[in-house]
Coordinates of all heavy atoms in Angstrom, one line a residue:
A1486 N -36.4 4.2 -20.1 CA -35.8 4.7 -21.3 C -34.3 4.7 -21.2 O -33.7 4.9 -20.1 CB -36.2 6.2 -21.6
V1487 N -33.6 4.4 -22.3 CA -32.2 4.3 -22.3 C -31.6 5.7 -22.6 O -32.1 6.4 -23.4 CB -31.7 3.3 -23.4 CG1 -30.2 3.3 -23.5 CG2 -32.2 1.9 -23.1
M1488 N -30.6 6.0 -21.8 CA -30.0 7.3 -22.0 C -28.8 7.2 -23.0 O -28.0 6.3 -22.8 CB -29.4 7.9 -20.7 CG -28.8 9.2 -20.7 SD -28.1 9.8 -19.2 CE -29.5 9.8 -18.1
G1489 N -28.7 8.1 -23.9 CA -27.6 8.1 -24.9 C -26.3 8.6 -24.2 O -26.3 9.2 -23.2
R1490 N -25.2 8.3 -24.9 CA -23.9 8.8 -24.3 C -23.8 10.3 -24.2 O -23.3 10.7 -23.1 CB -22.7 8.3 -25.2 CG -22.4 6.8 -25.0 CD -21.2 6.4 -25.9 NE -21.0 5.0 -25.7 CZ -20.2 4.3 -26.5 NH1 -19.6 4.8 -27.5 NH2 -20.1 3.0 -26.2
P1491 N -24.2 11.1 -25.2 CA -24.0 12.5 -25.0 C -24.8 13.0 -23.8 O -24.3 13.9 -23.0 CB -24.6 13.1 -26.3 CG -24.4 12.1 -27.3 CD -24.6 10.8 -26.5
S1492 N -26.0 12.5 -23.6 CA -26.8 12.9 -22.4 C -26.2 12.5 -21.1 O -26.2 13.2 -20.1 CB -28.2 12.3 -22.5 OG -28.9 12.8 -23.6
F1493 N -25.7 11.3 -21.1 CA -25.0 10.8 -19.9 C -23.8 11.6 -19.6 O -23.6 12.1 -18.4 CB -24.6 9.3 -20.1 CG -23.7 8.8 -18.9 CD1 -24.3 8.5 -17.7 CD2 -22.3 8.7 -19.1 CE1 -23.5 8.0 -16.7 CE2 -21.5 8.3 -18.0 CZ -22.1 7.9 -16.8
R1494 N -23.0 11.9 -20.6 CA -21.8 12.8 -20.3 C -22.2 14.1 -19.8 O -21.5 14.6 -18.8 CB -21.0 12.9 -21.6 CG -20.1 11.8 -21.9 CD -19.1 12.2 -23.0 NE -18.8 11.0 -23.8 CZ -19.2 10.8 -25.1 NH1 -19.9 11.7 -25.7 NH2 -19.0 9.7 -25.7
R1495 N -23.2 14.7 -20.4 CA -23.6 16.1 -19.9 C -24.1 16.0 -18.5 O -23.7 16.8 -17.6 CB -24.7 16.6 -20.9 CG -25.1 18.0 -20.6 CD -26.2 18.6 -21.5 NE -27.5 18.0 -21.2 CZ -28.0 17.0 -22.0 NH1 -27.5 16.6 -23.1 NH2 -29.2 16.5 -21.7
L1496 N -25.0 15.0 -18.1 CA -25.5 14.9 -16.8 C -24.4 14.6 -15.8 O -24.3 15.1 -14.7 CB -26.5 13.8 -16.7 CG -27.9 14.2 -17.2 CD1 -28.9 13.0 -17.2 CD2 -28.5 15.3 -16.3
F1497 N -23.5 13.7 -16.2 CA -22.3 13.3 -15.3 C -21.5 14.6 -15.0 O -21.1 14.8 -13.8 CB -21.5 12.3 -16.0 CG -20.5 11.6 -15.1 CD1 -20.8 10.4 -14.4 CD2 -19.2 12.1 -14.9 CE1 -19.9 9.8 -13.6 CE2 -18.3 11.5 -14.0 CZ -18.7 10.4 -13.4
K1498 N -21.2 15.4 -16.0 CA -20.4 16.6 -15.8 C -21.1 17.6 -15.0 O -20.5 18.2 -14.1 CB -20.0 17.2 -17.2 CG -18.9 18.3 -17.0 CD -18.2 18.5 -18.3 CE -17.1 19.5 -18.0 NZ -16.1 19.6 -19.0
Q1499 N -22.4 17.7 -15.1 CA -23.2 18.6 -14.3 C -23.1 18.2 -12.8 O -23.0 19.1 -12.0 CB -24.7 18.6 -14.7 CG -25.0 19.4 -16.0 CD -26.4 19.2 -16.4 OE1 -27.2 18.5 -15.8 NE2 -26.8 19.9 -17.5
H1500 N -23.1 16.9 -12.5 CA -23.1 16.5 -11.1 C -21.7 16.4 -10.5 O -21.6 16.5 -9.3 CB -23.8 15.1 -11.0 CG -25.3 15.3 -11.2 ND1 -26.1 15.8 -10.3 CD2 -26.1 14.9 -12.3 CE1 -27.4 15.8 -10.7 NE2 -27.4 15.3 -11.9
T1501 N -20.7 16.1 -11.3 CA -19.3 15.9 -10.8 C -18.4 17.0 -11.1 O -17.3 17.2 -10.5 CB -18.7 14.6 -11.3 OG1 -18.5 14.7 -12.7 CG2 -19.6 13.4 -11.0
G1502 N -18.7 17.8 -12.2 CA -17.7 18.8 -12.6 C -16.7 18.3 -13.5 O -15.8 19.0 -14.0
L1503 N -16.7 17.0 -13.8 CA -15.7 16.3 -14.6 C -16.4 15.4 -15.6 O -17.5 14.9 -15.4 CB -14.8 15.4 -13.8 CG -14.0 16.1 -12.7 CD1 -13.4 15.0 -11.8 CD2 -12.9 17.0 -13.3
S1504 N -15.7 15.2 -16.8 CA -16.2 14.2 -17.7 C -16.1 12.8 -17.1 O -15.2 12.7 -16.2 CB -15.5 14.3 -19.0 OG -14.2 13.8 -18.9
P1505 N -16.8 11.8 -17.6 CA -16.6 10.5 -17.0 C -15.1 10.0 -17.1 O -14.6 9.4 -16.2 CB -17.5 9.6 -17.9 CG -18.6 10.5 -18.4 CD -17.9 11.8 -18.6
N1506 N -14.4 10.3 -18.2 CA -13.0 10.0 -18.3 C -12.1 10.7 -17.3 O -11.3 10.1 -16.7 CB -12.6 10.3 -19.8 CG -11.5 9.3 -20.3 OD1 -11.5 8.2 -19.8 ND2 -10.7 9.8 -21.1
Q1507 N -12.4 12.0 -17.2 CA -11.6 12.8 -16.2 C -11.8 12.2 -14.8 O -10.9 12.2 -14.0 CB -12.0 14.2 -16.3 CG -11.5 15.0 -17.5 CD -12.2 16.3 -17.6 OE1 -13.3 16.5 -17.3 NE2 -11.4 17.3 -18.1
Y1508 N -13.1 11.9 -14.5 CA -13.4 11.4 -13.2 C -12.7 10.1 -12.9 O -12.1 9.9 -11.8 CB -14.9 11.2 -13.1 CG -15.4 10.7 -11.8 CD1 -15.7 11.7 -10.8 CD2 -15.7 9.4 -11.5 CE1 -16.2 11.3 -9.5 CE2 -16.1 9.0 -10.2 CZ -16.4 9.9 -9.2 OH -16.8 9.6 -8.0
L1509 N -12.7 9.2 -13.9 CA -12.0 7.9 -13.7 C -10.5 8.1 -13.5 O -9.9 7.5 -12.6 CB -12.2 7.0 -15.0 CG -11.5 5.7 -15.0 CD1 -12.0 4.8 -13.8 CD2 -11.8 4.9 -16.3
L1510 N -9.9 9.0 -14.2 CA -8.5 9.3 -14.1 C -8.2 9.9 -12.7 O -7.2 9.5 -12.0 CB -7.9 10.3 -15.1 CG -7.8 9.7 -16.5 CD1 -7.5 10.7 -17.5 CD2 -6.6 8.6 -16.5
E1511 N -9.1 10.7 -12.2 CA -9.0 11.3 -10.8 C -9.0 10.1 -9.8 O -8.2 10.1 -8.8 CB -10.1 12.3 -10.6 CG -9.9 13.1 -9.3 CD -8.7 14.0 -9.4 OE1 -8.2 14.5 -10.4 OE2 -8.1 14.2 -8.3
I1512 N -9.9 9.2 -9.9 CA -10.0 8.1 -9.0 C -8.7 7.3 -9.0 O -8.2 6.8 -8.0 CB -11.2 7.2 -9.4 CG1 -12.5 7.9 -9.2 CG2 -11.2 5.9 -8.5 CD1 -12.9 8.4 -7.8
R1513 N -8.2 7.0 -10.2 CA -7.0 6.2 -10.4 C -5.8 6.9 -9.7 O -4.9 6.3 -9.1 CB -6.7 5.9 -11.8 CG -7.8 4.9 -12.4 CD -7.8 4.9 -13.9 NE -6.6 4.5 -14.5 CZ -6.4 4.5 -15.8 NH1 -7.3 5.1 -16.6 NH2 -5.3 4.1 -16.3
I1514 N -5.7 8.2 -9.9 CA -4.6 9.0 -9.3 C -4.7 9.0 -7.7 O -3.7 8.8 -7.0 CB -4.5 10.4 -9.8 CG1 -4.0 10.5 -11.2 CG2 -3.7 11.3 -8.9 CD1 -2.6 9.9 -11.4
R1515 N -5.9 9.1 -7.2 CA -6.1 9.0 -5.8 C -5.7 7.7 -5.2 O -5.1 7.6 -4.2 CB -7.6 9.3 -5.4 CG -7.9 10.8 -5.6 CD -9.3 11.1 -5.1 NE -9.7 12.4 -5.5 CZ -10.9 12.9 -5.4 NH1 -11.9 12.1 -5.0 NH2 -11.2 14.1 -5.8
K1516 N -6.0 6.6 -6.0 CA -5.6 5.3 -5.5 C -4.1 5.2 -5.5 O -3.5 4.6 -4.6 CB -6.3 4.2 -6.4 CG -5.7 2.8 -6.1 CD -6.7 1.7 -6.4 CE -6.0 0.4 -6.1 NZ -6.7 -0.4 -5.3
A1517 N -3.5 5.7 -6.6 CA -2.0 5.7 -6.7 C -1.4 6.4 -5.5 O -0.4 6.0 -4.9 CB -1.6 6.3 -8.0
Q1518 N -2.0 7.6 -5.2 CA -1.5 8.3 -4.0 C -1.5 7.5 -2.7 O -0.6 7.5 -2.0 CB -2.3 9.6 -3.9 CG -2.0 10.7 -4.9 CD -2.9 11.9 -4.9 OE1 -4.1 11.7 -4.8 NE2 -2.3 13.0 -5.0
S1519 N -2.6 6.8 -2.6 CA -2.8 6.0 -1.4 C -1.8 4.8 -1.4 O -1.2 4.6 -0.3 CB -4.2 5.4 -1.3 OG -4.4 4.5 -0.3
L1520 N -1.6 4.2 -2.5 CA -0.7 3.1 -2.6 C 0.8 3.6 -2.4 O 1.6 2.9 -1.7 CB -0.8 2.4 -3.9 CG -2.1 1.6 -4.2 CD1 -2.2 1.1 -5.6 CD2 -2.2 0.4 -3.2
L1521 N 1.1 4.8 -2.9 CA 2.5 5.3 -2.7 C 2.7 5.6 -1.2 O 3.9 5.4 -0.7 CB 2.7 6.6 -3.5 CG 2.8 6.3 -5.0 CD1 2.6 7.6 -5.8 CD2 4.2 5.7 -5.3
T1522 N 1.7 6.1 -0.5 CA 2.0 6.5 0.9 C 1.8 5.3 1.9 O 2.4 5.3 3.0 CB 1.1 7.6 1.3 OG1 -0.3 7.3 1.1 CG2 1.4 8.9 0.6
N1523 N 1.0 4.3 1.5 CA 0.6 3.2 2.4 C 1.2 1.9 2.1 O 1.0 0.9 2.9 CB -0.9 3.1 2.5 CG -1.5 4.4 3.0 OD1 -1.1 5.0 4.0 ND2 -2.5 4.9 2.3
T1524 N 2.0 1.7 1.0 CA 2.6 0.4 0.7 C 4.0 0.6 0.2 O 4.4 1.8 0.0 CB 1.8 -0.3 -0.4 OG1 2.1 0.4 -1.7 CG2 0.3 -0.3 -0.2
A1525 N 4.7 -0.5 0.1 CA 6.1 -0.4 -0.4 C 6.1 -0.9 -1.9 O 7.1 -1.2 -2.4 CB 7.0 -1.3 0.4
L1526 N 4.9 -1.0 -2.5 CA 4.8 -1.4 -3.9 C 5.7 -0.5 -4.8 O 5.8 0.7 -4.6 CB 3.4 -1.4 -4.4 CG 2.4 -2.4 -3.8 CD1 1.0 -2.1 -4.3 CD2 2.8 -3.8 -4.1
S1527 N 6.3 -1.1 -5.8 CA 7.1 -0.4 -6.8 C 6.1 0.5 -7.6 O 4.9 0.3 -7.8 CB 7.8 -1.3 -7.7 OG 6.9 -2.0 -8.6
V1528 N 6.7 1.6 -8.2 CA 6.0 2.4 -9.1 C 5.4 1.6 -10.3 O 4.3 1.8 -10.7 CB 6.9 3.6 -9.6 CG1 6.1 4.4 -10.7 CG2 7.2 4.5 -8.4
Q1529 N 6.2 0.7 -10.8 CA 5.7 -0.2 -11.9 C 4.5 -0.9 -11.5 O 3.5 -1.0 -12.2 CB 6.8 -1.2 -12.3 CG 6.4 -2.3 -13.2 CD 6.1 -1.8 -14.6 OE1 6.9 -1.0 -15.1 NE2 5.1 -2.3 -15.3
R1530 N 4.5 -1.5 -10.3 CA 3.3 -2.3 -9.8 C 2.1 -1.4 -9.5 O 1.0 -1.7 -9.9 CB 3.7 -3.0 -8.5 CG 2.6 -3.9 -8.0 CD 2.6 -5.2 -8.8 NE 1.6 -6.0 -8.2 CZ 0.5 -6.5 -8.9 NH1 0.4 -6.2 -10.2 NH2 -0.3 -7.3 -8.3
I1531 N 2.4 -0.2 -9.0 CA 1.3 0.8 -8.8 C 0.7 1.2 -10.1 O -0.6 1.3 -10.2 CB 1.8 2.0 -7.9 CG1 2.0 1.5 -6.5 CG2 0.7 3.1 -7.9 CD1 2.7 2.5 -5.6
S1532 N 1.5 1.4 -11.1 CA 0.9 1.8 -12.4 C 0.0 0.7 -12.9 O -1.0 1.0 -13.5 CB 2.1 2.2 -13.4 OG 2.8 1.0 -13.8
E1533 N 0.4 -0.6 -12.7 CA -0.4 -1.7 -13.2 C -1.7 -1.8 -12.4 O -2.8 -2.0 -12.9 CB 0.4 -3.0 -13.0 CG 1.6 -3.1 -14.0 CD 2.5 -4.3 -13.6 OE1 2.2 -5.0 -12.6 OE2 3.5 -4.4 -14.3
E1534 N -1.6 -1.6 -11.0 CA -2.7 -1.7 -10.1 C -3.8 -0.6 -10.4 O -4.9 -0.8 -10.2 CB -2.3 -1.6 -8.7 CG -1.5 -2.7 -8.1 CD -2.4 -3.9 -7.8 OE1 -3.5 -3.7 -7.3 OE2 -2.0 -5.0 -8.1
T1535 N -3.3 0.5 -10.9 CA -4.2 1.6 -11.2 C -4.6 1.7 -12.7 O -5.3 2.7 -13.1 CB -3.6 3.0 -10.7 OG1 -2.3 3.1 -11.2 CG2 -3.5 3.0 -9.2
G1536 N -4.2 0.7 -13.5 CA -4.7 0.6 -14.8 C -4.0 1.5 -15.9 O -4.6 1.7 -17.0
F1537 N -2.8 1.9 -15.6 CA -2.0 2.6 -16.6 C -1.3 1.7 -17.5 O -0.8 0.6 -17.1 CB -1.1 3.6 -16.0 CG -1.8 4.8 -15.4 CD1 -2.3 4.8 -14.1 CD2 -2.0 6.0 -16.2 CE1 -3.0 5.9 -13.6 CE2 -2.7 7.1 -15.7 CZ -3.2 7.0 -14.4
E1538 N -1.2 2.0 -18.8 CA -0.6 1.1 -19.8 C 0.9 0.9 -19.6 O 1.5 -0.1 -19.9 CB -1.0 1.5 -21.2 CG -1.0 3.0 -21.4 CD -1.7 3.4 -22.7 OE1 -2.9 3.3 -22.8 OE2 -0.9 3.7 -23.6
S1539 N 1.5 2.0 -19.1 CA 3.0 1.9 -18.8 C 3.4 2.7 -17.6 O 2.7 3.7 -17.3 CB 3.8 2.4 -20.1 OG 3.8 3.8 -20.1
S1540 N 4.5 2.3 -17.0 CA 4.9 3.1 -15.8 C 5.4 4.5 -16.2 O 5.3 5.4 -15.5 CB 5.9 2.3 -15.0 OG 7.1 2.1 -15.8
F1541 N 5.9 4.6 -17.5 CA 6.4 5.9 -18.0 C 5.2 6.8 -18.1 O 5.3 8.0 -17.6 CB 7.1 5.7 -19.3 CG 7.4 7.0 -20.0 CD1 8.5 7.8 -19.6 CD2 6.6 7.5 -21.0 CE1 8.8 9.0 -20.1 CE2 6.9 8.8 -21.6 CZ 8.0 9.5 -21.2
Y1542 N 4.1 6.4 -18.7 CA 2.9 7.2 -18.9 C 2.3 7.6 -17.5 O 2.0 8.7 -17.2 CB 1.9 6.5 -19.8 CG 0.6 7.3 -19.9 CD1 0.6 8.5 -20.6 CD2 -0.5 6.9 -19.2 CE1 -0.6 9.3 -20.7 CE2 -1.7 7.7 -19.3 CZ -1.7 8.8 -20.0 OH -2.9 9.6 -20.1
F1543 N 2.3 6.6 -16.6 CA 1.8 6.8 -15.3 C 2.6 7.9 -14.6 O 2.0 8.8 -14.0 CB 1.8 5.5 -14.5 CG 1.7 5.7 -13.0 CD1 0.4 6.1 -12.4 CD2 2.7 5.5 -12.1 CE1 0.3 6.3 -11.1 CE2 2.6 5.8 -10.8 CZ 1.4 6.1 -10.3
S1544 N 3.9 7.7 -14.6 CA 4.8 8.7 -13.9 C 4.6 10.1 -14.4 O 4.5 11.1 -13.7 CB 6.2 8.3 -14.0 OG 6.4 7.1 -13.3
R1545 N 4.5 10.2 -15.8 CA 4.3 11.5 -16.4 C 3.0 12.1 -16.0 O 2.9 13.3 -15.6 CB 4.5 11.4 -17.9 CG 4.8 12.7 -18.6 CD 5.1 12.5 -20.1 NE 3.8 12.4 -20.8 CZ 3.6 11.7 -21.9 NH1 4.6 11.1 -22.5 NH2 2.4 11.7 -22.4
F1546 N 1.9 11.3 -16.1 CA 0.6 11.8 -15.8 C 0.5 12.2 -14.3 O -0.1 13.2 -13.9 CB -0.4 10.8 -16.2 CG -1.9 11.2 -16.0 CD1 -2.4 12.1 -17.0 CD2 -2.6 10.9 -14.9 CE1 -3.7 12.5 -16.8 CE2 -3.9 11.3 -14.8 CZ -4.5 12.1 -15.7
F1547 N 1.1 11.3 -13.5 CA 1.0 11.6 -12.0 C 1.7 12.9 -11.7 O 1.1 13.7 -10.9 CB 1.7 10.4 -11.3 CG 1.6 10.5 -9.8 CD1 0.5 9.8 -9.2 CD2 2.5 11.2 -9.0 CE1 0.3 9.9 -7.8 CE2 2.3 11.3 -7.6 CZ 1.2 10.6 -7.0
K1548 N 2.8 13.2 -12.3 CA 3.5 14.4 -12.0 C 2.7 15.6 -12.5 O 2.7 16.7 -11.9 CB 4.9 14.4 -12.7 CG 5.7 15.6 -12.3 CD 7.2 15.5 -12.6 CE 7.9 16.8 -12.1 NZ 9.3 16.7 -12.3
Q1549 N 2.1 15.5 -13.7 CA 1.2 16.6 -14.2 C 0.1 16.9 -13.2 O -0.3 18.0 -13.0 CB 0.6 16.2 -15.5 CG 1.5 16.2 -16.7 CD 0.8 15.7 -18.0 OE1 -0.3 15.1 -17.9 NE2 1.4 16.0 -19.1
R1550 N -0.5 15.8 -12.6 CA -1.7 16.0 -11.7 C -1.3 16.5 -10.3 O -2.0 17.2 -9.7 CB -2.5 14.7 -11.6 CG -3.0 14.2 -12.9 CD -4.0 15.1 -13.5 NE -5.2 15.1 -12.7 CZ -6.2 15.9 -12.9 NH1 -6.2 16.8 -13.8 NH2 -7.3 15.8 -12.1
T1551 N -0.1 16.0 -9.8 CA 0.2 16.3 -8.4 C 1.4 17.3 -8.3 O 1.6 17.8 -7.2 CB 0.6 15.0 -7.7 OG1 1.8 14.5 -8.2 CG2 -0.5 14.0 -7.8
G1552 N 2.2 17.5 -9.3 CA 3.3 18.3 -9.2 C 4.6 17.6 -8.7 O 5.7 18.2 -8.7
L1553 N 4.4 16.3 -8.4 CA 5.6 15.5 -7.9 C 5.6 14.2 -8.7 O 4.6 13.7 -9.0 CB 5.4 15.2 -6.4 CG 5.5 16.4 -5.4 CD1 5.0 15.9 -4.1 CD2 6.9 17.0 -5.4
S1554 N 6.8 13.7 -8.9 CA 7.0 12.4 -9.4 C 6.4 11.4 -8.4 O 6.4 11.7 -7.2 CB 8.4 12.0 -9.7 OG 9.2 11.9 -8.5
P1555 N 6.1 10.2 -8.8 CA 5.6 9.2 -7.8 C 6.6 9.0 -6.7 O 6.2 8.9 -5.5 CB 5.4 7.9 -8.6 CG 5.1 8.4 -10.0 CD 5.9 9.6 -10.2
L1556 N 7.9 8.9 -7.0 CA 8.9 8.6 -5.9 C 9.0 9.8 -5.0 O 9.1 9.7 -3.7 CB 10.2 8.3 -6.5 CG 10.3 6.9 -7.1 CD1 11.7 6.6 -7.7 CD2 9.9 5.8 -6.2
N1557 N 9.0 11.0 -5.5 CA 9.0 12.2 -4.7 C 7.8 12.4 -3.8 O 7.8 12.8 -2.7 CB 9.3 13.5 -5.5 CG 10.8 13.5 -6.0 OD1 11.6 12.9 -5.4 ND2 11.0 14.3 -7.0
Y1558 N 6.6 12.0 -4.4 CA 5.4 12.0 -3.7 C 5.5 11.1 -2.5 O 5.1 11.4 -1.4 CB 4.2 11.6 -4.6 CG 2.9 11.8 -3.9 CD1 2.1 13.0 -4.0 CD2 2.3 10.7 -3.2 CE1 0.9 13.1 -3.4 CE2 1.1 10.9 -2.5 CZ 0.4 12.1 -2.6 OH -0.8 12.2 -2.0
R1559 N 6.0 9.9 -2.7 CA 6.1 8.9 -1.7 C 7.1 9.4 -0.5 O 6.7 9.3 0.6 CB 6.7 7.6 -2.2 CG 7.0 6.6 -1.1 CD 7.5 5.3 -1.7 NE 6.3 4.4 -1.9 CZ 6.2 3.4 -2.7 NH1 7.3 3.0 -3.4 NH2 5.1 2.7 -2.8
K1560 N 8.2 10.1 -0.9 CA 9.1 10.6 0.1 C 8.4 11.7 0.9 O 8.6 11.8 2.1 CB 10.4 11.2 -0.6 CG 11.3 10.1 -1.1 CD 12.5 10.7 -1.9 CE 13.2 9.7 -2.6 NZ 14.2 10.3 -3.5
A1561 N 7.6 12.6 0.2 CA 7.0 13.7 0.9 C 5.9 13.3 1.8 O 5.7 14.0 2.8 CB 6.5 14.7 -0.2
F1562 N 5.1 12.3 1.5 CA 3.9 12.0 2.2 C 3.9 10.7 2.9 O 2.9 10.3 3.5 CB 2.7 12.1 1.2 CG 2.5 13.4 0.7 CD1 2.9 13.8 -0.6 CD2 1.9 14.4 1.5 CE1 2.7 15.1 -1.1 CE2 1.7 15.7 1.0 CZ 2.1 16.0 -0.3
R1563 N 5.0 10.0 3.0 CA 5.0 8.7 3.7 C 5.1 8.9 5.2 O 5.7 9.8 5.7 CB 6.2 7.9 3.2 CG 6.0 6.4 3.5 CD 6.7 5.6 2.6 NE 6.0 4.4 2.5 CZ 6.5 3.3 2.0 NH1 7.8 3.2 1.6 NH2 5.8 2.2 2.0

């Protein structure tokens, strides 16, 4: 049987505590954190690698989620 979107979302949230969209964003931010600490890639390149439409949006979202701008995160955790 095929599961509908509402059922999938509900089950996904029950198992992860996050909606599918929130989960995907969390994975993308974790990848960005790793790239910031383990590579010399530019913030622009990291925003592209993690699927954000612009480096401005990426930087703003990253700061909301981590409390630090991407460059300050890199300085603090490198």
